[in-house]
Structure formats: C-alpha cells, structure tokens
Amino acid sequence: MIKPIFIDSYYTLLLAYVSHPDEKYLATAVDLGQQLVKDNVQPEDIAEIHETAIKRLGQEYPDATVGETAQLVSAPLMEMLMAYGLAFRAQTESNKKLMTDLQSHRDHLEELVDERTKDIESFSYSVSHDLRAPVRAISGFSRILNEEYGHLLDQEGKRLLDVIIDNTQYMGQLIDDLLTLSHLGRKEIDIVEIHITELVKNVVAELTNEVPEREIRWKMNEIANSRGDVTMIRIVWINLLSNAVKYTRSMKKAMIEAGSRDGDNEVVYYVKDNGIGFDMEYSHKLFEVFQRLHSSKEYSGTGVGLAIVNRIIQRHGGRVWAEGKVNQGATFYFTLPKKEDER
Amino acid sequence: MKKSDRVDFLLVEDNPNDVELILRALDTHNLAGKVFVVQDGAKALDFLFAKGEYHDRETRQVPKLILLDLKLPKVDGLEVLRQIKADERTKIIPVVILTSSQEEKDMVESYRLGANSYIFKPIDYDQFVMTISEMALYWLALNKLPT
C-alpha cells in the first residue's frame, strides 16, 4: 500500500515541474527519490506513484496540453526516480545477500562451537576414561597389599598405605563424577512429564536409609510436576537433597524442606536446610566444577555435584542459584521452563 | 593346555593388571582355576575357532562364558563379538562385555551384536571384586547353560 503522502508530494513536484521545467525541480526530484528510498518505497511502486500523479494532473487540468507537457517533462523526473528505485533494489538485494552471508557465518560459527565443545567433551571423556585403568590398578593393588601384607607393616607403614588407599578412592570418585558431567553434556534429553512429589519421596527414602543414625525432619510440600529428562532431573534432586543431608550433619535438629512455587514462565523448585550454610560472597563459585566451600576433610565430596546440577538445569533451559548464611542454613533453587500452553 | 581341558571362562583382556584383579576376584569363589586368558582379539578368535597356535584345540569344547574387553589390540572386542555370534559353533556361548567404556554407542552396539551382558569395570576395589564375583556366580551357578 502506497502512502498518500508520497503521491501528494510527487504530485506537487510534478505540477511545479510542468509549470517551470528547470534545474531547480530536478534537485527536488533527487530529494523526493531519497525520501522514497528512505521510506522503503518499493521500486515498482515508484511507477505507480508516477501514474497516479499524472492521472490526477489530467483530472485537475483537463487541458490536453498540460497532460502532454506533463508526460513530456516528467520523463526525466521519472527516469531519475527509477534510477533511485534501481539503486534501492540493488541495495535491498545486496542487503539480503549480506544477511544470508551473516546467517551462514553465524551457522558456521555455531557449528564450529558445537564441534569444539564435542571435541573438548570427548577429550575429557577419553582422558577420564583412560585414567580409570591405572587408578583401578592402584586402588586394587594397594588394597591387596593391605590385606595380604598389612601385618608386616608397622603403624606408620599402615598409615601411609591408608593415605594411598584414601586418595585413590577419592581420585576414582573424581574421575567417575567427571565422566558423569561430560556424559550429561552430550546425552540427548528425553523430555517427559515427571511427577516430582513422587520422585522426591523416593529419593528421600533412599537417603534416609543411607543414614539410619541421623534424625532429620523432612518437610515435603506438594511439589509441582516438571517436564524434563527423568534420569537427569532425578540426579538434580539426589544431589541437592544429599547435600542438604550432608551439610546438616552437625545440627542437633536437622531440618530439610523441599517445595516449589509458580513463576511467570517457569516453576521455581527449592531445597532448604538449616545446616552449616555458606558465605554468600562465594555463592557464584558453588556451581563451578571442583569449587568447594568446605574442606574435603570436613565434608567429603569431589566438588562436581553442583556443577552437574547446573549442567542439567542449563540444558533444560532453567536457572540455578543459592542463598545462605554461615551457620544459618542454605537454600538451593532451580527453575524449569513451563510448557508453552501453561504460561 | 590339554586338548580335552574344558575352560569355564575365556578372558579376553590386554591389561595385565586388570587380568590379575579379575583372576583374584574370581578366586574369591574358587573360580579362577578354570580361566583361560588371551591378550588380544586375534588370539581370542584363534582360540575359539582353533586356528593359529590353537589349531589342535578341540573346538567342541567351548568355554562356558566369554569375558570380553572392548579396547583390544589387533582385533577389537566388538569384532570378536560379531564373529562369535556369527558362527554356529560359538553363538550360544554367553558373552559378557567387561569394559571401562560407558559410551552409549559401545553399549548399544554390543547388545545389537548379541552380547549377553554389559558390565562397567568399577574403579573401587571392593566394588570391583563384588561385581566380578557376582557376575561369575550368576553365569556359572545361578544361570543354567547347556552342557
């Protein structure tokens, strides 16, 4: 649809041109052409503007000579406008080509990033994979040494051997956690509807079994269902809940709460405990690989668990964060996007 | 080994440390005595099909169970598995893949080729011993195989 304002200004110009066909109006034609281009008037519309203006000129000045003069003198004007049109069309086409080029560069870049990410992941996979064999040997043979020749060692000898065994165990756990992390980065996500209240109940039952000596008060609210990969979301809950169990160890009355609340386009899930908490200053480090806020002597672990949580939630299009205070508990949050029609 | 010796396990494993650990784990149930070990895929095939250095072996005496690593010199585990399952003489022998590979594609390919079990070697020695001995007990005691 051509804006009437273009036709009006073209008509005025044409009229002035017919009455005084001199250089002055050619300059105005340049302006008009530039304006048309700026306003995104399509080249093919320029001809139509011209036709309409001529027609109106004929109607308002029925004198045949005016019409003829108009046709005659407006020819160079038309030519100029058409030149703009052509330039504009060329510009549009070159823009289009640039956009396509840009898009294909972007796609290529993304491909490269994907490729590199895969390279890095398969590298870290094969490294951790190949590391398992020697660690298995150290672990196995030091255990055999302990069992079969332990009686030949004095106390200090035994202590040294235990150091080796402990560290091998730790390294084994580390490698397995890294493998899990890299595996989660590459595994395809299989999205299904997950009954979270049920899932959390099961995880809590398992965790409670592992620490029969602990007295923990669980507060399980009704938790909203999620859409996600069951295996992965389960790993998220296991990590968060077992952390809560671990870091409330020193509390006489441990309390762990899990729940969810409705957000705009997402559901926010949380696990809250009254454990040893953490310093908010370091909260950004919590979700990075190998970052620990407590010594592994106090609280065992490899520092990969929350990185796994982060990776899984990121891959589901959600966010993770944590709030806490030293000795006043911690709350870990994660979100999962709602299905389009539930927003 | 003598021609008539019946082998319970054929262990195909190139890492001598793993071989020792597996034998020790089997030994916890006095099963280690009937294991025959080969270090690469080619030897495994020679043994099973009585070729090369095993040409005078009695092929009717098939092992009860094959423990197969995937990463092997010369002929890899998947190829060994493919040939075992493609041959009438050997296709009924249960094959347990015993590997460090958690790669989904290795697992899928193993089962596709007819592996009977896929076991991931644990790093921790206790778990390792438990895994191996439970696996052995299952296949040789609990599970019934044609004699």
Side-chain angles (χ1 to χ4, degrees), chain A residues 5 20 55 82 117 183 195 201 217 247 288 301 304 315:
Chain A
I5 181 143
H20 316 276
K55 221 171 163 186
M82 286 307 282
T117 313
H183 188 63
H195 198 292
K201 233 185 244 170
R217 242 187 72 203
Y247 292 110
E288 288 170 23
V304 183
R315 289 204 63 198

mmCIF file with all atom_site columns, all heavy atoms in Angstrom, chain A residues 5 20 55 82 117 183 195 201 217 247 288 301 304 315:
data_model
loop_
_atom_site.group_PDB
_atom_site.id
_atom_site.type_symbol
_atom_site.label_atom_id
_atom_site.label_alt_id
_atom_site.label_comp_id
_atom_site.label_asym_id
_atom_site.label_entity_id
_atom_site.label_seq_id
_atom_site.pdbx_PDB_ins_code
_atom_site.Cartn_x
_atom_site.Cartn_y
_atom_site.Cartn_z
_atom_site.occupancy
_atom_site.B_iso_or_equiv
_atom_site.pdbx_formal_charge
_atom_site.auth_seq_id
_atom_site.auth_comp_id
_atom_site.auth_asym_id
_atom_site.auth_atom_id
_atom_site.pdbx_PDB_model_num
ATOM 1   N N   . ILE A 1 5   ? 0.821  10.290  1.150   1.00 0.00 ? 5   ILE A N   1
ATOM 2   C CA  . ILE A 1 5   ? 1.745  11.421  1.263   1.00 0.00 ? 5   ILE A CA  1
ATOM 3   C C   . ILE A 1 5   ? 2.804  11.424  0.155   1.00 0.00 ? 5   ILE A C   1
ATOM 4   O O   . ILE A 1 5   ? 3.197  12.462  -0.369  1.00 0.00 ? 5   ILE A O   1
ATOM 5   C CB  . ILE A 1 5   ? 2.399  11.451  2.662   1.00 0.00 ? 5   ILE A CB  1
ATOM 6   C CG1 . ILE A 1 5   ? 3.360  12.653  2.806   1.00 0.00 ? 5   ILE A CG1 1
ATOM 7   C CG2 . ILE A 1 5   ? 3.188  10.186  2.961   1.00 0.00 ? 5   ILE A CG2 1
ATOM 8   C CD1 . ILE A 1 5   ? 3.351  13.273  4.165   1.00 0.00 ? 5   ILE A CD1 1
ATOM 9   N N   . HIS A 1 20  ? 7.236  25.059  -14.452 1.00 0.00 ? 20  HIS A N   1
ATOM 10  C CA  . HIS A 1 20  ? 8.581  25.638  -14.628 1.00 0.00 ? 20  HIS A CA  1
ATOM 11  C C   . HIS A 1 20  ? 9.604  24.513  -14.748 1.00 0.00 ? 20  HIS A C   1
ATOM 12  O O   . HIS A 1 20  ? 10.285 24.197  -13.773 1.00 0.00 ? 20  HIS A O   1
ATOM 13  C CB  . HIS A 1 20  ? 8.988  26.505  -13.428 1.00 0.00 ? 20  HIS A CB  1
ATOM 14  C CG  . HIS A 1 20  ? 7.910  27.408  -12.945 1.00 0.00 ? 20  HIS A CG  1
ATOM 15  N ND1 . HIS A 1 20  ? 7.667  28.652  -13.512 1.00 0.00 ? 20  HIS A ND1 1
ATOM 16  C CD2 . HIS A 1 20  ? 6.979  27.262  -11.952 1.00 0.00 ? 20  HIS A CD2 1
ATOM 17  C CE1 . HIS A 1 20  ? 6.645  29.217  -12.897 1.00 0.00 ? 20  HIS A CE1 1
ATOM 18  N NE2 . HIS A 1 20  ? 6.203  28.383  -11.951 1.00 0.00 ? 20  HIS A NE2 1
ATOM 19  N N   . LYS A 1 55  ? -2.294 11.050  -13.612 1.00 0.00 ? 55  LYS A N   1
ATOM 20  C CA  . LYS A 1 55  ? -3.748 10.930  -13.783 1.00 0.00 ? 55  LYS A CA  1
ATOM 21  C C   . LYS A 1 55  ? -4.443 12.116  -13.087 1.00 0.00 ? 55  LYS A C   1
ATOM 22  O O   . LYS A 1 55  ? -5.338 12.749  -13.646 1.00 0.00 ? 55  LYS A O   1
ATOM 23  C CB  . LYS A 1 55  ? -4.221 9.621   -13.129 1.00 0.00 ? 55  LYS A CB  1
ATOM 24  C CG  . LYS A 1 55  ? -5.264 8.866   -13.945 1.00 0.00 ? 55  LYS A CG  1
ATOM 25  C CD  . LYS A 1 55  ? -5.419 7.547   -13.251 1.00 0.00 ? 55  LYS A CD  1
ATOM 26  C CE  . LYS A 1 55  ? -6.632 6.761   -13.589 1.00 0.00 ? 55  LYS A CE  1
ATOM 27  N NZ  . LYS A 1 55  ? -6.651 5.578   -12.698 1.00 0.00 ? 55  LYS A NZ  1
ATOM 28  N N   . MET A 1 82  ? 13.339 6.311   -11.145 1.00 0.00 ? 82  MET A N   1
ATOM 29  C CA  . MET A 1 82  ? 13.576 4.901   -11.442 1.00 0.00 ? 82  MET A CA  1
ATOM 30  C C   . MET A 1 82  ? 15.013 4.520   -11.104 1.00 0.00 ? 82  MET A C   1
ATOM 31  O O   . MET A 1 82  ? 15.281 3.426   -10.597 1.00 0.00 ? 82  MET A O   1
ATOM 32  C CB  . MET A 1 82  ? 13.281 4.582   -12.914 1.00 0.00 ? 82  MET A CB  1
ATOM 33  C CG  . MET A 1 82  ? 11.798 4.544   -13.245 1.00 0.00 ? 82  MET A CG  1
ATOM 34  S SD  . MET A 1 82  ? 10.855 3.451   -12.163 1.00 0.00 ? 82  MET A SD  1
ATOM 35  C CE  . MET A 1 82  ? 11.269 1.864   -12.858 1.00 0.00 ? 82  MET A CE  1
ATOM 36  N N   . THR A 1 117 ? 33.090 -27.965 21.238  1.00 0.00 ? 117 THR A N   1
ATOM 37  C CA  . THR A 1 117 ? 32.543 -28.438 22.506  1.00 0.00 ? 117 THR A CA  1
ATOM 38  C C   . THR A 1 117 ? 32.575 -29.952 22.539  1.00 0.00 ? 117 THR A C   1
ATOM 39  O O   . THR A 1 117 ? 32.972 -30.568 23.524  1.00 0.00 ? 117 THR A O   1
ATOM 40  C CB  . THR A 1 117 ? 31.093 -27.952 22.679  1.00 0.00 ? 117 THR A CB  1
ATOM 41  O OG1 . THR A 1 117 ? 31.055 -26.564 22.365  1.00 0.00 ? 117 THR A OG1 1
ATOM 42  C CG2 . THR A 1 117 ? 30.618 -28.159 24.107  1.00 0.00 ? 117 THR A CG2 1
ATOM 43  N N   . HIS A 1 183 ? 29.275 -36.842 30.324  1.00 0.00 ? 183 HIS A N   1
ATOM 44  C CA  . HIS A 1 183 ? 28.219 -37.661 29.736  1.00 0.00 ? 183 HIS A CA  1
ATOM 45  C C   . HIS A 1 183 ? 26.913 -36.862 29.661  1.00 0.00 ? 183 HIS A C   1
ATOM 46  O O   . HIS A 1 183 ? 26.216 -36.881 28.645  1.00 0.00 ? 183 HIS A O   1
ATOM 47  C CB  . HIS A 1 183 ? 28.025 -38.903 30.611  1.00 0.00 ? 183 HIS A CB  1
ATOM 48  C CG  . HIS A 1 183 ? 27.120 -39.920 30.025  1.00 0.00 ? 183 HIS A CG  1
ATOM 49  N ND1 . HIS A 1 183 ? 27.413 -40.569 28.851  1.00 0.00 ? 183 HIS A ND1 1
ATOM 50  C CD2 . HIS A 1 183 ? 25.930 -40.397 30.430  1.00 0.00 ? 183 HIS A CD2 1
ATOM 51  C CE1 . HIS A 1 183 ? 26.435 -41.400 28.566  1.00 0.00 ? 183 HIS A CE1 1
ATOM 52  N NE2 . HIS A 1 183 ? 25.517 -41.305 29.510  1.00 0.00 ? 183 HIS A NE2 1
ATOM 53  N N   . HIS A 1 195 ? 6.401  -36.692 37.722  1.00 0.00 ? 195 HIS A N   1
ATOM 54  C CA  . HIS A 1 195 ? 5.676  -36.495 38.966  1.00 0.00 ? 195 HIS A CA  1
ATOM 55  C C   . HIS A 1 195 ? 6.708  -36.256 40.064  1.00 0.00 ? 195 HIS A C   1
ATOM 56  O O   . HIS A 1 195 ? 7.270  -37.194 40.623  1.00 0.00 ? 195 HIS A O   1
ATOM 57  C CB  . HIS A 1 195 ? 4.838  -37.749 39.254  1.00 0.00 ? 195 HIS A CB  1
ATOM 58  C CG  . HIS A 1 195 ? 3.769  -37.507 40.245  1.00 0.00 ? 195 HIS A CG  1
ATOM 59  N ND1 . HIS A 1 195 ? 4.048  -37.237 41.562  1.00 0.00 ? 195 HIS A ND1 1
ATOM 60  C CD2 . HIS A 1 195 ? 2.425  -37.466 40.123  1.00 0.00 ? 195 HIS A CD2 1
ATOM 61  C CE1 . HIS A 1 195 ? 2.907  -37.050 42.204  1.00 0.00 ? 195 HIS A CE1 1
ATOM 62  N NE2 . HIS A 1 195 ? 1.908  -37.183 41.348  1.00 0.00 ? 195 HIS A NE2 1
ATOM 63  N N   . LYS A 1 201 ? 9.976  -38.067 47.071  1.00 0.00 ? 201 LYS A N   1
ATOM 64  C CA  . LYS A 1 201 ? 9.683  -39.010 48.155  1.00 0.00 ? 201 LYS A CA  1
ATOM 65  C C   . LYS A 1 201 ? 10.626 -40.217 48.084  1.00 0.00 ? 201 LYS A C   1
ATOM 66  O O   . LYS A 1 201 ? 11.199 -40.643 49.082  1.00 0.00 ? 201 LYS A O   1
ATOM 67  C CB  . LYS A 1 201 ? 8.232  -39.489 48.036  1.00 0.00 ? 201 LYS A CB  1
ATOM 68  C CG  . LYS A 1 201 ? 7.423  -39.307 49.320  1.00 0.00 ? 201 LYS A CG  1
ATOM 69  C CD  . LYS A 1 201 ? 6.050  -39.917 49.153  1.00 0.00 ? 201 LYS A CD  1
ATOM 70  C CE  . LYS A 1 201 ? 4.962  -38.854 49.243  1.00 0.00 ? 201 LYS A CE  1
ATOM 71  N NZ  . LYS A 1 201 ? 3.649  -39.387 48.847  1.00 0.00 ? 201 LYS A NZ  1
ATOM 72  N N   . ARG A 1 217 ? 14.293 -33.953 60.202  1.00 0.00 ? 217 ARG A N   1
ATOM 73  C CA  . ARG A 1 217 ? 12.876 -33.620 59.999  1.00 0.00 ? 217 ARG A CA  1
ATOM 74  C C   . ARG A 1 217 ? 12.693 -33.156 58.563  1.00 0.00 ? 217 ARG A C   1
ATOM 75  O O   . ARG A 1 217 ? 13.225 -32.137 58.136  1.00 0.00 ? 217 ARG A O   1
ATOM 76  C CB  . ARG A 1 217 ? 12.449 -32.523 60.974  1.00 0.00 ? 217 ARG A CB  1
ATOM 77  C CG  . ARG A 1 217 ? 11.349 -33.018 61.902  1.00 0.00 ? 217 ARG A CG  1
ATOM 78  C CD  . ARG A 1 217 ? 10.815 -31.900 62.751  1.00 0.00 ? 217 ARG A CD  1
ATOM 79  N NE  . ARG A 1 217 ? 10.000 -30.962 61.999  1.00 0.00 ? 217 ARG A NE  1
ATOM 80  C CZ  . ARG A 1 217 ? 9.790  -29.704 62.389  1.00 0.00 ? 217 ARG A CZ  1
ATOM 81  N NH1 . ARG A 1 217 ? 10.316 -29.247 63.491  1.00 0.00 ? 217 ARG A NH1 1
ATOM 82  N NH2 . ARG A 1 217 ? 9.022  -28.915 61.661  1.00 0.00 ? 217 ARG A NH2 1
ATOM 83  N N   . TYR A 1 247 ? 25.253 -31.465 54.798  1.00 0.00 ? 247 TYR A N   1
ATOM 84  C CA  . TYR A 1 247 ? 25.632 -30.218 55.467  1.00 0.00 ? 247 TYR A CA  1
ATOM 85  C C   . TYR A 1 247 ? 24.768 -29.879 56.686  1.00 0.00 ? 247 TYR A C   1
ATOM 86  O O   . TYR A 1 247 ? 24.907 -28.811 57.268  1.00 0.00 ? 247 TYR A O   1
ATOM 87  C CB  . TYR A 1 247 ? 25.667 -29.072 54.454  1.00 0.00 ? 247 TYR A CB  1
ATOM 88  C CG  . TYR A 1 247 ? 26.791 -29.262 53.464  1.00 0.00 ? 247 TYR A CG  1
ATOM 89  C CD1 . TYR A 1 247 ? 26.534 -29.582 52.126  1.00 0.00 ? 247 TYR A CD1 1
ATOM 90  C CD2 . TYR A 1 247 ? 28.121 -29.172 53.881  1.00 0.00 ? 247 TYR A CD2 1
ATOM 91  C CE1 . TYR A 1 247 ? 27.574 -29.796 51.229  1.00 0.00 ? 247 TYR A CE1 1
ATOM 92  C CE2 . TYR A 1 247 ? 29.161 -29.374 52.991  1.00 0.00 ? 247 TYR A CE2 1
ATOM 93  C CZ  . TYR A 1 247 ? 28.885 -29.691 51.671  1.00 0.00 ? 247 TYR A CZ  1
ATOM 94  O OH  . TYR A 1 247 ? 29.909 -29.900 50.787  1.00 0.00 ? 247 TYR A OH  1
ATOM 95  N N   . GLU A 1 288 ? 30.446 -24.170 40.146  1.00 0.00 ? 288 GLU A N   1
ATOM 96  C CA  . GLU A 1 288 ? 31.561 -24.444 39.237  1.00 0.00 ? 288 GLU A CA  1
ATOM 97  C C   . GLU A 1 288 ? 32.213 -25.777 39.602  1.00 0.00 ? 288 GLU A C   1
ATOM 98  O O   . GLU A 1 288 ? 32.216 -26.182 40.757  1.00 0.00 ? 288 GLU A O   1
ATOM 99  C CB  . GLU A 1 288 ? 32.599 -23.318 39.341  1.00 0.00 ? 288 GLU A CB  1
ATOM 100 C CG  . GLU A 1 288 ? 32.111 -22.028 38.705  1.00 0.00 ? 288 GLU A CG  1
ATOM 101 C CD  . GLU A 1 288 ? 33.035 -20.857 39.022  1.00 0.00 ? 288 GLU A CD  1
ATOM 102 O OE1 . GLU A 1 288 ? 34.213 -21.088 39.342  1.00 0.00 ? 288 GLU A OE1 1
ATOM 103 O OE2 . GLU A 1 288 ? 32.552 -19.717 38.956  1.00 0.00 ? 288 GLU A OE2 1
ATOM 104 N N   . GLY A 1 301 ? 33.507 -35.216 49.338  1.00 0.00 ? 301 GLY A N   1
ATOM 105 C CA  . GLY A 1 301 ? 32.878 -34.846 48.075  1.00 0.00 ? 301 GLY A CA  1
ATOM 106 C C   . GLY A 1 301 ? 33.933 -34.354 47.113  1.00 0.00 ? 301 GLY A C   1
ATOM 107 O O   . GLY A 1 301 ? 35.038 -34.004 47.516  1.00 0.00 ? 301 GLY A O   1
ATOM 108 N N   . VAL A 1 304 ? 31.951 -31.743 42.300  1.00 0.00 ? 304 VAL A N   1
ATOM 109 C CA  . VAL A 1 304 ? 31.399 -31.846 40.945  1.00 0.00 ? 304 VAL A CA  1
ATOM 110 C C   . VAL A 1 304 ? 29.864 -31.858 40.983  1.00 0.00 ? 304 VAL A C   1
ATOM 111 O O   . VAL A 1 304 ? 29.203 -31.481 40.018  1.00 0.00 ? 304 VAL A O   1
ATOM 112 C CB  . VAL A 1 304 ? 31.940 -33.109 40.226  1.00 0.00 ? 304 VAL A CB  1
ATOM 113 C CG1 . VAL A 1 304 ? 31.425 -33.194 38.799  1.00 0.00 ? 304 VAL A CG1 1
ATOM 114 C CG2 . VAL A 1 304 ? 33.459 -33.101 40.196  1.00 0.00 ? 304 VAL A CG2 1
ATOM 115 N N   . ARG A 1 315 ? 20.795 -27.275 30.548  1.00 0.00 ? 315 ARG A N   1
ATOM 116 C CA  . ARG A 1 315 ? 20.376 -28.000 29.342  1.00 0.00 ? 315 ARG A CA  1
ATOM 117 C C   . ARG A 1 315 ? 18.858 -28.071 29.238  1.00 0.00 ? 315 ARG A C   1
ATOM 118 O O   . ARG A 1 315 ? 18.326 -28.289 28.156  1.00 0.00 ? 315 ARG A O   1
ATOM 119 C CB  . ARG A 1 315 ? 20.985 -29.413 29.315  1.00 0.00 ? 315 ARG A CB  1
ATOM 120 C CG  . ARG A 1 315 ? 22.487 -29.382 29.064  1.00 0.00 ? 315 ARG A CG  1
ATOM 121 C CD  . ARG A 1 315 ? 22.976 -30.672 28.476  1.00 0.00 ? 315 ARG A CD  1
ATOM 122 N NE  . ARG A 1 315 ? 22.403 -30.951 27.177  1.00 0.00 ? 315 ARG A NE  1
ATOM 123 C CZ  . ARG A 1 315 ? 22.408 -32.152 26.620  1.00 0.00 ? 315 ARG A CZ  1
ATOM 124 N NH1 . ARG A 1 315 ? 22.939 -33.169 27.252  1.00 0.00 ? 315 ARG A NH1 1
ATOM 125 N NH2 . ARG A 1 315 ? 21.859 -32.336 25.436  1.00 0.00 ? 315 ARG A NH2 1
#
